[in-house]
Amino acid sequence: MTDQRKDKQNPIRRGRRPLKLGNFVYPQYDYRPLADDEAQAVKRRPVVVVGAGMVGLTTAIDLARKGVRCVLIDDNDTVSAGSRSIAQARRTMEIWSRLGCAEPMREKGISWSRGHTHHRDDTVLSFTVFPEGGSRFPSFTSLAQYYVEHFLVERARTLDHLDIRWLNRLSGVRLNPDGVELTVETPDGTYRMQADWLVAADGAKSRVRSALGLAFEGDRLQDKFVIADVRCGADFPFERNYWFEPPFYDGNSVLRVPQSDSIWRIDWQIDPTADTDSELAPDLVRQRLERMLGEDTDFEIEWVSTYTSEHRLMDSFRHGRVFFAGDAAHQFSPFGGGRGGNSGIQDADNLAWKLAAVIQGRAAERLLDSYDAERRPIAERNLADSKKSTEFITPKSDHSWGFHDAVMNLAKVAPFAKSYVNTGRFAVWPVLENSPLSLPDSEGFADLARPGTPVLDCPLLSADGQPAWLADQIGDDFTVVTYGPTPAGGAALLSALSAAFPTRSISIGAAGASDEGHDFRDVDGAFARLYGAEPGTTYLFRPDQHVLARWRQFDSARIAVAVRRTLGLIGIGLNGIGLEQEKAR
Amino acid sequence: MKLRLELPERFPVDDIYAKLVALGSEKTDRDARQAVAALALLLINHIGDVDVIDEAIEIVQRLPSTDS
């Protein structure tokens, strides 16, 4: 169970003074006392999500949009302090776009595509981050976590099925075979609640995980960093800069990344034995920033803190009726290339449709096992990549320092060595490799849009000539995308499948083709290139916009089997098509 | 095994050995380590064959400890 002693020392209460950092006034969300019936009787909820951070909010919003009643509890009544997770990847923005909340984030965020790594007085690497394919979103949108959470809460408030309970702190969890019992502490006292399913999105120090006595194996590294949000009038280009052994700081490294509102994220490594409080002394922080930014630069410190990297991973992201998502399930170094927050949003994207499908009786419960099977391998990869970046940035042995030094100095004279410079490999496109849900290709296709790949967005033209995006046409339902005219039998298939799960279809005509017979037209052949499409090529997308299967010709039976197999419904019988018949084809 | 382990003909092994030792002479320990690492990286890039490099690393990992 949770540490009650700590809770007594830190009682949950309302009426705290709202924070203001620069232009951003921290919202203070209303605590609502429990309704009488809830206070007097233990209510059972379909889903409870613990933690109203980026991951918990995204999960709850997606569930509520799908018509699942969801309670979201959080022990705070505002958004995260400080910028924290600022690199919102293109895929993350696409997920939020599907949820209807990406637009204000795009408007508020900024983007950068150039980065530089420096060693002492030399620039050893300059690079440009290009988005894959064509997308309305850049590779990264730089936006502070407090803004992201603010926009997510705004979206959540529009959803009738979502009940957000601020200043509700989880103080106990008991896992039963058919559900979860929760004890929740509020300013007005404690109450109990039951849930059919629980999503733990309560961060690296997850109370749910602790309460259930589950391990979170890994390492806490010795390296320490100071992190600061600095409002700065300097006319720096919107570029990422990383310095090793910079001439303006005695420590090993400094990172500077732009954010919106003229704020710059600045991280600097400090001596691992240094006293943290001393390193955060305002005079010392200001003195260091003056050297980093230039003595003539006006700046204000908006937020400053310290952090130590941890690499941790749960053995399984599902424990009975509890799912772990985001930092509650996996923790990476911030130098992993923005993998922490972004992979948490992918967790939410992966879990929500499956949970909704099972709750609504559209899928067998075993579909939920695929959450761990699909997401944990990605977390393992992120963890491995994060460790490699961390080792390069902060070598842990004299031997490792030898290679770090060799790379930095070779990179000044030998181009190949630049590729070894690793200040954080940016998050790779989250393909669900070896997913138990994906159908392997049985026909010749290039790797690019292989099963498991999230939608590769590209511009389209609608039948009436309006610009559109592929990603907007896909998601929430199963979506059949055909290249060429809508095939005969498509309507009957969709009608039959939709009885089990909402399924829709779009047809895309070749660039320059006539508008007749298809819903959209390819623009400059982008769709054909990304998807290796030829006339008749058919893609089946999952509700989370990942490719489930693809064929060279539209085939109703195969599509039906793929959908029903994914939902775990093979054998129930839909149009008399079963797995055995599919194998025999 | 793709890694060549036989002695090439007319290879000036003694000269090469002397040059390798000289790489670390009059250097601090950190600079000496950098020199060996840089040499490895240059040669690995020149070889450009991951299998060969993996085989070489495996042999190096199996070398007995010099502390024993």
Side-chain angles (χ1 to χ4, degrees):
Chain A
M1 301 298 284
T2 48
D3 185 345
Q4 298 291 334
R5 185 187 56 187
K6 183 180 173 187
D7 292 351
K8 283 177 184 169
Q9 289 172 347
N10 182 23
I12 199 155
R13 62 178 182 271
R14 56 189 150 178
R16 287 177 287 190
R17 192 163 53 89
L19 290 166
K20 182 175 184 300
L21 293 180
N23 286 346
F24 187 80
V25 180
Y26 277 67
Q28 190 168 26
Y29 301 121
D30 290 338
Y31 162 74
R32 284 183 293 105
L34 281 181
D36 286 346
D37 61 338
E38 181 119 19
Q40 290 163 9
V42 177
K43 294 281 188 182
R44 190 174 181 99
R45 307 292 177 185
V47 181
V48 173
V49 178
V50 182
M54 292 165 59
V55 177
L57 281 161
T58 300
T59 309
I61 289 169
D62 208 359
L63 286 165
R65 284 176 65 253
K66 290 175 163 63
V68 175
R69 292 203 172 276
C70 183
V71 173
L72 173 60
I73 64 170
D74 194 278
D75 62 2
N76 208 333
D77 61 356
T78 188
V79 294
S80 293
S83 57
R84 298 180 190 273
S85 176
I86 61 170
Q88 317 307 337
R90 169 188 161 185
R91 177 66 197 142
T92 296
M93 294 297 286
E94 287 173 353
I95 292 167
W96 287 330
S97 179
R98 183 176 60 76
L99 302 186
C101 46
E103 208 47 43
M105 297 182 193
R106 181 169 64 169
E107 284 177 14
K108 189 65 200 176
I110 62 155
S111 66
W112 58 267
S113 59
R114 290 283 289 166
H116 309 277
T117 303
H118 316 272
H119 180 235
R120 298 179 182 166
D121 289 318
D122 299 307
T123 299
V124 296
L125 174 69
S126 293
F127 58 90
T128 302
V129 184
F130 291 109
E132 308 85 347
S135 172
R136 84 205 89 166
F137 300 113
S139 292
F140 287 97
T141 298
S142 189
L143 184 64
Q145 185 168 336
Y146 49 77
Y147 271 121
V148 169
E149 290 179 5
H150 165 69
F151 292 130
L152 287 170
V153 171
E154 292 298 300
R155 176 71 178 107
R157 286 171 147 178
T158 67
L159 297 166
D160 292 338
H161 285 66
L162 179 47
D163 174 4
I164 308 183
R165 299 181 182 181
W166 303 105
L167 295 180
N168 275 235
R169 176 197 283 156
L170 184 80
S171 59
V173 182
R174 195 167 78 184
L175 187 54
N176 296 325
D178 65 343
V180 184
E181 290 183 25
L182 310 168
T183 308
V184 180
E185 186 186 348
T186 75
D188 294 322
T190 297
Y191 71 100
R192 291 197 300 134
M193 177 165 49
Q194 294 178 335
D196 294 337
W197 303 95
L198 179 68
V199 179
D202 52 346
K205 295 177 181 171
S206 169
R207 282 171 170 260
V208 177
R209 198 185 58 236
S210 300
L212 294 175
L214 299 171
F216 198 34
E217 299 292 345
D219 306 309
R220 180 181 172 86
L221 307 181
Q222 298 301 310
D223 313 299
K224 284 184 190 170
F225 293 81
V226 174
I227 179 171
D229 288 341
V230 180
R231 181 184 303 278
C232 173
D235 192 19
F236 299 132
F238 275 12
E239 297 175 340
R240 177 190 196 261
N241 280 276
Y242 204 112
W243 289 268
F244 288 104
E245 300 179 50
F248 49 77
Y249 176 56
D250 295 334
N252 180 47
S253 65
V254 173
L255 169 66
R256 190 181 73 201
V257 185
Q259 302 180 51
S260 48
D261 295 343
S262 302
I263 293 175
W264 292 79
R265 153 76 64 80
I266 301 175
D267 292 33
W268 59 95
Q269 191 177 354
I270 58 175
D271 189 316
T273 62
D275 174 61
T276 303
D277 289 340
S278 304
E279 290 292 329
L280 292 179
D283 288 349
L284 180 60
V285 170
R286 174 158 283 279
Q287 180 190 335
R288 286 190 164 152
L289 285 168
E290 280 174 357
R291 286 193 64 202
M292 292 176 191
L293 298 170
E295 292 189 357
D296 296 333
T297 302
D298 291 331
F299 65 87
E300 291 174 54
I301 302 168
E302 299 263 330
W303 172 72
V304 63
S305 184
T306 60
Y307 67 86
T308 301
S309 294
E310 299 197 31
H311 293 138
R312 297 185 186 279
L313 187 62
M314 289 187 76
D315 288 340
S316 174
F317 292 178
R318 179 185 180 185
H319 288 264
R321 290 190 163 242
V322 182
F323 298 91
F324 292 86
D327 284 359
H330 45 70
Q331 198 176 2
F332 317 127
S333 153
F335 297 111
R339 291 164 194 247
N342 288 302
S343 66
I345 301 306
Q346 294 160 21
D347 291 343
D349 183 48
N350 188 287
L351 178 60
W353 74 270
K354 296 172 181 174
L355 200 48
V358 170
I359 289 169
Q360 293 168 339
R362 291 172 165 158
E365 192 182 320
R366 64 175 179 270
L367 172 63
L368 296 171
D369 290 333
S370 68
Y371 169 66
D372 177 79
E374 292 187 331
R375 293 303 308 165
R376 198 170 183 285
I378 289 194
E380 287 172 350
R381 181 173 173 188
N382 280 329
L383 190 65
D385 288 348
S386 172
K387 285 181 176 178
K388 289 172 192 166
S389 300
T390 305
E391 183 62 40
F392 186 86
I393 292 167
T394 57
K396 301 294 180 292
S397 66
D398 291 343
H399 177 76
S400 185
W401 269 111
F403 280 94
H404 171 97
D405 291 340
V407 166
M408 298 312 299
N409 283 316
L410 275 177
K412 298 170 189 172
V413 295
F416 85 88
K418 294 178 189 294
S419 62
Y420 286 86
V421 175
N422 183 352
T423 60
R425 304 293 188 204
F426 294 108
V428 292
W429 205 231
V431 179
L432 304 170
E433 306 287 7
N434 305 312
S435 162
L437 301 184
S438 294
L439 287 186
D441 286 334
S442 56
E443 296 154 298
F445 276 102
D447 264 0
L448 186 58
R450 62 191 177 280
T453 306
V455 60
L456 303 170
D457 203 8
C458 61
L460 301 173
L461 278 179
S462 68
D464 59 359
Q466 297 301 309
W469 290 96
L470 176 64
D472 285 345
Q473 319 311 321
I474 290 170
D476 293 320
D477 304 339
F478 283 96
T479 312
V480 179
V481 178
T482 52
Y483 190 65
T486 303
L493 168 74
L494 297 181
S495 174
L497 283 176
S498 292
F501 197 99
T503 307
R504 58 200 154 98
S505 166
I506 62 167
S507 59
I508 298 173
S514 78
D515 290 336
E516 290 182 10
H518 50 253
D519 304 310
F520 296 93
R521 188 148 36 94
D522 197 0
V523 174
D524 297 331
F527 179 85
R529 278 195 303 277
L530 289 170
Y531 291 88
E534 301 165 359
T537 295
T538 301
Y539 274 75
L540 176 59
F541 286 87
R542 308 168 4 158
D544 58 2
Q545 300 180 316
H546 286 251
V547 174
L548 180 63
R550 55 185 179 171
W551 304 274
R552 283 297 176 198
Q553 290 297 325
F554 180 89
D555 184 324
S556 295
R558 286 184 168 182
I559 294 169
V561 166
V563 170
R564 294 177 54 240
R565 176 183 171 276
T566 300
L567 298 172
L569 302 179
I570 285 288
I572 289 177
L574 179 76
N575 288 350
I577 300 165
L579 185 60
E580 290 71 26
Q581 286 158 286
E582 166 67 7
K583 281 179 181 170
R585 292 174 68 87
Chain B
M1 176 169 258
K2 295 169 75 175
L3 179 67
R4 290 170 51 190
L5 296 177
E6 70 276 16
L7 178 68
E9 289 181 22
R10 292 191 292 278
F11 201 68
V13 289
D14 292 343
D15 291 346
I16 295 291
Y17 188 88
K19 286 175 185 172
L20 289 172
V21 172
L23 266 183
S25 64
E26 298 182 11
K27 283 189 169 70
T28 63
D29 286 349
R30 183 170 171 177
D31 284 349
R33 278 189 290 271
Q34 173 186 232
V36 175
L39 185 68
L41 290 168
L42 285 161
L43 295 177
I44 282 170
N45 188 62
H46 181 77
I47 293 166
D49 185 327
V50 174
D51 293 339
V52 168
I53 294 156
D54 281 344
E55 288 169 10
I57 287 173
E58 195 178 330
I59 289 173
V60 172
Q61 282 180 326
R62 287 206 309 260
L63 293 176
S65 168
T66 53
D67 290 337
S68 58

